[in-house]
Amino acid sequence: MPELPDVTVYVERLDAKVRGDTLEQVRILNPFLLRTALPPIAQAQGKKVVGVERLGKRVVLALEGDLFLVIHLMIAGRLRWLAAGAKPPGKIALATFEFGAGTLVLTEAGTRRRASLHLVAGRGALSAMDPGGIDVLSGDLAAFSAQLQAENHTLKRSLTNPRLFSGIGNAYSDEILHRARLSPVMLTRSMKPDETARLFEATRAVMTEWTDLLRDEAGDWPDKVTAFHPKMAVHGRYGQPCPVCGSPVQRIVHADNETNYCARCQTGGKLLADRALSRLLKASWPKHIDDIE
């Protein structure tokens, strides 16, 4: 799923291309994409773009007349920019937004249609779509700590909760926790002040560094948005060496999500129980990284 760094770069590039341009036509190619009926989507046509914004993991096109097109890419949704008149890709295209300068195409890989499009009227209606998580790049340590202490959950769950923190998902939470040298299953209310401060600094550093990196790599448009980047330390690198200590990266698999971590850097060498594999192996499940190295 595109997270804060990816969405920020989408917003920046799109703003440079369409601010002040007119949205000439919206074509909905999949009926499940559009989640609002009022105002009708046709009302967005003919309106000028007054800005492009980020709302959590959503891309927002602000139109004249106090209208807002809200695009949520979910897991497999992506945005493409085509020259004016170019044909959009086949079955994966869900919608096209035609401007004088070119066409924005919303695509989604696979068969599960999770991406969504809303058209809302008024800043209040847009604000109602905000889950409420704080922006980690503008908030301070006190606000960050308060959010962590609001509920007693694992660090992984809290960091990826959009009601607590804005724009952090599965991929960058792994990178943040590795940078902070903290276990993904540590409970938030068991954290010491120095651990909270370390997590705060790691969160800001990881999000800033990755936004800068993706911005530099994007060129005219970010065509290769992915949750698995070769420069990541642990996310998507199960079995590969940790760039800090060289131990093989470990994982916890739960439903569609996978948490990657370094046992030596983050858990004192302890291997965390995987809900599938550890239950299968039971007594044979290794307890320490030294048991498998």
Side-chain angles (χ1 to χ4, degrees):
M1 176 184 292
E3 301 174 31
L4 186 154
D6 315 273
V7 175
T8 296
V9 177
Y10 268 143
V11 165
E12 292 173 350
R13 294 299 188 269
L14 188 56
D15 187 77
K17 290 182 178 296
V18 304
R19 181 187 284 265
D21 203 348
T22 298
L23 178 55
E24 298 174 352
Q25 188 168 32
V26 180
R27 297 180 185 272
I28 305 299
L29 306 178
N30 187 299
F32 297 101
L33 175 70
L34 185 60
R35 306 297 173 86
T36 52
L38 294 173
I41 194 66
Q43 197 167 318
Q45 297 177 160
K47 298 291 194 302
K48 285 187 177 181
V49 179
V50 298
V52 185
E53 308 170 12
R54 180 181 68 85
L55 182 67
K57 299 174 187 174
R58 297 169 172 86
V59 175
V60 180
L61 279 77
L63 308 175
E64 61 182 352
D66 213 22
L67 293 175
F68 300 89
L69 277 168
V70 184
I71 301 171
H72 198 337
L73 299 171
M74 293 300 290
I75 295 176
R78 298 294 184 269
L79 295 174
R80 300 189 185 188
W81 182 258
L82 304 180
K87 184 178 180 181
K91 294 181 180 180
I92 63 172
L94 303 184
T96 61
F97 307 86
E98 299 176 17
F99 301 90
T103 300
L104 178 69
V105 183
L106 170 56
T107 67
E108 187 172 24
T111 58
R112 302 176 70 176
R113 294 291 171 248
R114 294 178 174 177
S116 66
L117 173 67
H118 293 74
L119 177 63
V120 298
R123 182 65 65 172
L126 178 64
S127 296
M129 299 187 68
D130 188 348
I134 64 169
D135 186 335
V136 295
L137 296 181
S138 60
D140 58 16
L141 176 58
F144 183 85
S145 180
Q147 293 296 88
L148 283 177
Q149 296 298 313
E151 301 174 0
N152 191 31
H153 291 303
T154 64
L155 287 183
K156 174 77 172 187
R157 181 175 173 182
S158 291
L159 283 176
T160 57
N161 185 342
R163 294 184 295 105
L164 299 179
F165 301 103
S166 176
I168 304 176
N170 195 46
Y172 291 107
S173 60
D174 283 352
E175 296 300 289
I176 289 167
L177 290 168
H178 179 263
R179 178 74 64 90
R181 306 186 310 279
L182 293 172
S183 169
V185 300
M186 173 182 281
L187 293 176
T188 54
R189 290 181 180 170
S190 70
M191 297 181 71
K192 299 175 182 177
D194 66 301
E195 292 172 330
T196 300
R198 198 162 76 231
L199 182 62
F200 174 67
E201 294 301 330
T203 301
R204 291 168 62 89
V206 167
M207 288 310 205
T208 299
E209 289 170 15
W210 275 98
T211 300
D212 291 342
L213 174 64
L214 297 181
R215 186 182 285 130
D216 291 342
E217 290 184 348
D220 182 65
W221 187 262
D223 287 319
K224 297 181 179 180
V225 175
T226 175
F228 306 101
H229 195 285
K231 292 185 179 180
M232 285 183 166
V234 289
H235 183 73
R237 291 175 53 82
Y238 172 64
Q240 299 181 53
C242 165
V244 175
C245 71
S247 295
V249 171
Q250 301 302 306
R251 68 181 176 186
I252 310 169
V253 179
H254 180 231
D256 293 334
N257 290 326
E258 179 175 309
T259 296
N260 296 120
Y261 68 99
C262 172
R264 198 169 297 284
C265 292
Q266 296 174 250
T267 64
K270 179 182 178 182
L271 295 178
L272 304 177
D274 179 283
R275 294 197 176 196
L277 202 53
S278 61
R279 288 179 179 178
L280 176 66
L281 296 178
K282 295 181 180 179
S284 298
W285 174 255
K287 299 296 190 298
H288 196 276
I289 189 66
D290 291 338
D291 296 335
I292 61 174
E293 285 189 329

